[in-house]
Amino acid sequence: MEYTEYKDMVLTCQDCGARFLFSAGEQRFYAKKGFKHIPKRCPACRARRRWERLNRHWHTVICEACGTETKVPFLPKGIRPVYCYECFRRLQGKAT
Ligand SMILES: [Zn+2]
Ligand SMILES: [Zn+2]
């Protein structure tokens, strides 16, 4: 039976150079997920990269109903009006 004892590690972020904690709990979580690597970036940089990846294909549009700037995950072609999430929900609610 193999048993690994995890200990908190202090790592250095390769993006911003900040030192961050890779806790024993996180290491266990990583191991359970089958990740063999240790994180190269601090949680802030990881979150920023995730957000950038998520928003890469998002387009800024103006909501047809309220004029608020909003982001949609597709390129509007001008065929259908584009609404922000709030208006979309509101209009959907009216329709039913
Ligand atoms: Zn960082
Ligand atoms: Zn709106």
Side-chain angles (χ1 to χ4, degrees), residues 13-24:
C13 173
Q14 72 167 30
D15 275 15
C16 69
R19 286 158 74 74
F20 64 98
L21 186 73
F22 187 37
S23 73

Side-chain angles (χ1 to χ4, degrees), residues 13-18 20 40-46 48:
C13 173
Q14 72 167 30
D15 275 15
C16 69
F20 64 98
K40 293 189 180 75
R41 293 175 184 87
C42 69
C45 286
R46 260 179 279 160
R48 184 174 49 79

Side-chain angles (χ1 to χ4, degrees), residues 40-85:
K40 293 189 180 75
R41 293 175 184 87
C42 69
C45 286
R46 260 179 279 160
R48 184 174 49 79
R49 286 176 70 88
R50 205 162 34 233
W51 187 86
E52 280 174 3
R53 227 185 355 256
L54 217 64
N55 285 279
R56 192 179 297 162
H57 301 293
W58 287 56
H59 304 269
T60 303
V61 295
I62 304 296
C63 171
E64 204 84 9
C66 69
T68 304
E69 217 174 68
T70 186
K71 281 182 186 291
V72 291
F74 54 88
L75 188 64
K77 296 216 175 70
I79 301 161
R80 289 163 181 243
V82 181
Y83 301 112
C84 68
Y85 180 64

